[in-house]
Amino acid sequence: MSAGARNVRGVEEPDWPNLEHAYGPAGDVPALLDALVPDGTADVWDELWSRLCHQGTVYSASFAALPRLTEAAARWDPADRVMVLALAGAIVVGLEDDAPAERTTLHRLTSEALAAANDPDDTVYLLQALLAFEGVPFWGEHLERLAGQEFEAVCPGCETPLFVVLDYDGLGYFASDGDYVGGRTTPRAPLRPADAAALDGIGARLHTAFADRGFTGLAEYVRHLFGDTVCPACSHPFPVAPAVVETF
């Protein structure tokens, strides 16, 4: 389809074959967008993610897909929007300083979806998307690591790479400088959680979002992530969240 041509919906489309995705020319993207369904387990989502946001990298076709992703989110019920908004958020993060025209609409649609969310992981992904549309650095791209219960950090004292573990597999809350799953004797230091009442900024916002929905586990992850610890390698004390942010 040439630039300026209209599809069956009467909407002007980009010149897809002259755009790029992870595997080359993007002429196959319109058919995938036409096949979008609310079911986040449908194969079309794997196809789109691998092309438009491959390992966090975005492409010219990724940006061109935003209007169609926004249109799908607006058409679907709030509870069905998790996957489409997560993909749109991941693309917007890649825009860096450029604000797409769809950002305000996507933010509104995500706020509606958050109000309808009743699953902890869905709430994490929707909050990440919301922060992406607000241009919040780091958390708009990496908040999903809460669902995986692990972040990475570097000790600000000795620069040792660390894992920040948020009760992964019931192992507890700690910083480790090695394989804490296979090598359970690896040195580790406990995370000291922040007082919920003392949290501010993004920490307070995240804690409130989870606690108000009854997601006590996620609220505890936030308290520990925004608490402090010492380096298991050199005993240097440091606040956890800033060290995590500085690592990426």
Side-chain angles (χ1 to χ4, degrees), residues 21-213:
H21 58 46
Y23 307 117
D28 55 347
V29 170
L32 292 172
L33 293 171
D34 287 340
L36 285 181
V37 290
D39 180 5
T41 66
D43 291 343
V44 65
W45 291 111
D46 287 339
E47 297 289 335
L48 270 179
W49 274 94
S50 67
R51 286 165 172 75
L52 301 183
C53 192
H54 187 71
Q55 297 180 344
T57 301
V58 293
Y59 309 86
S60 56
S62 311
F63 310 143
L66 278 174
R68 293 286 301 276
L69 296 176
T70 305
E71 179 187 83
R75 189 169 66 248
W76 297 340
D77 290 339
D80 293 329
R81 297 173 186 167
V82 178
M83 185 63 79
V84 69
L85 292 172
L87 177 54
I91 292 170
V92 168
V93 164
L95 286 167
E96 298 179 347
D97 295 333
D98 296 326
E102 298 78 16
R103 175 174 278 177
T104 299
T105 300
L106 286 165
H107 188 278
R108 175 179 58 79
L109 295 170
T110 307
S111 296
E112 294 171 358
L114 263 174
N118 56 16
D119 177 82
D121 286 351
D122 286 353
T123 300
V124 171
Y125 297 127
L126 287 169
L127 273 171
Q128 176 172 286
L130 193 74
L131 295 170
F133 302 139
E134 293 176 3
V136 176
F138 185 80
W139 304 108
E141 184 174 4
H142 299 293
L143 185 65
E144 65 188 30
R145 289 173 178 261
L146 271 183
Q149 298 172 260
E150 178 193 278
F151 286 82
E152 296 172 17
V154 172
C155 171
C158 68
E159 299 186 349
T160 295
L162 303 171
F163 294 108
V164 174
V165 182
L166 304 172
D167 203 28
Y168 177 82
D169 202 23
L171 294 176
Y173 299 86
F174 57 88
S176 171
D177 64 353
D179 180 6
Y180 60 87
V181 176
R184 296 194 178 221
T185 59
T186 300
R188 58 186 67 177
L191 306 183
R192 188 175 67 178
D195 183 341
L199 289 169
D200 59 11
I202 189 65
R205 181 178 179 184
L206 294 174
H207 185 271
T208 297
F210 297 133
D212 285 355
R213 290 170 169 81

